Amino acid sequence: MNEVTQFWENRSLKFGARIEGVLLKSVPENINKYLSSWMLEQVEGMIKKESDFKVLDIGCGYGRLSGPLVNSFPGIKVFGVDIAQNYVDLYNKNLSPAGKACRADSRDLPFKDNFFDAVFVVTALMYLPTKDDQSKAISEMLRVLKPGGKFVVVERSSLGYEIFTLGGIIGKLRGKKNLEIPAVSFDPKYLSAVIGKYGARVESLRGIPLFTIMFQVILVLSLINANIGGIFLNLIKLADQQLSKFYFPSLYISYTGEKNG
Ligand SMILES: C[S@@+](CC[C@H](N)C(=O)[O-])C[C@H]1O[C@@H](n2cnc3c(N)ncnc32)[C@H](O)[C@@H]1O
């Protein structure tokens, strides 16, 4: 078992189907809920309420995003793939029969060409260390997507991550507590170009710039008092909805688009 798989097996055993296993560790829950609902909004935007509408969740974890989808869009079929067997088991336990997952690597998807109506990958490409691996995963994602099918990719952005961690100072302060698996952040021009190279086009980029810039304030307020933190986060959310097209500088960027027909 390689290092990344081992890491995620351990993490899934430690956290189970809990949000901090797949989002930010050691932050108040309202912060992860904020991120989770923003990510879900990105994905929901591409789903059509059609029976037999097939969706693929790549690096699905325990089904944090697939779960709300099968609840909100009865009739669609959601498939998940993940390298961690324990996450696959949790996904199937919680979502079956509406959602079904199997153990597979994003670089080698066990599906036919042009099979899905929509595909998404949320914070999973970032664990592929080389550009070759990232390209392979994107080419696989687009291979299994039908022409005209929609995709959503949500990944960390390089500049946003620098701001979020105050140029690496936060990581140094956290010291050993910060021990995580290495993960990459993406330049949006680079990721959009790779998607373009494999026969799809990015139609919109969105972000959460104010959340990123204000993160340390949100964190302190939420630690002092969850209610005050929650009110502040709601204000940030309203502002970010207005600013979402300004994806610079955002910790995460969502790339949405379509496979060429
Ligand atoms: C940060 S979690 C995100 C999980 C889920 N997408 C979500 O947003 O709740 C990253 C997930 O990607 C999976 N993963 C990492 N590398 C992968 C790969 N090469 N192929 C498939 N899944 C992978 C991990 O096991 C983990 O479940």
Side-chain angles (χ1 to χ4, degrees), residues 237-257:
K237 183 174 184 172
L238 287 176
D240 263 345
Q241 280 167 345
Q242 303 305 315
L243 295 170
S244 71
K245 299 264 172 190
F246 296 95
Y247 54 87
F248 254 29
S250 176
L251 172 60
Y252 297 108
I253 292 180
S254 90
Y255 306 71
T256 56

Side-chain angles (χ1 to χ4, degrees), residues 4 8 21-23 39 57-62 64-65 81-84 87 104-107 121-124 127-128:
V4 177
W8 285 106
V22 291
L23 282 177
M39 291 169 177
D57 178 352
I58 300 170
C60 58
Y62 63 83
R64 175 178 68 89
L65 296 162
V81 291
D82 202 282
I83 41 159
Y87 269 150
D105 193 296
S106 56
R107 290 160 288 187
V121 55
V122 175
T123 60
Y127 301 103
L128 295 170

Side-chain angles (χ1 to χ4, degrees), residues 164-197:
F164 180 77
T165 59
L166 303 180
I169 293 173
I170 298 295
K172 289 198 182 96
L173 289 177
R174 284 170 61 89
K176 283 195 174 163
K177 276 200 218 152
N178 198 38
L179 280 183
E180 288 279 346
I181 197 83
V184 295
S185 302
F186 295 93
D187 171 355
K189 281 201 184 110
Y190 162 75
L191 204 48
S192 302
V194 178
I195 291 169
K197 185 174 162 196

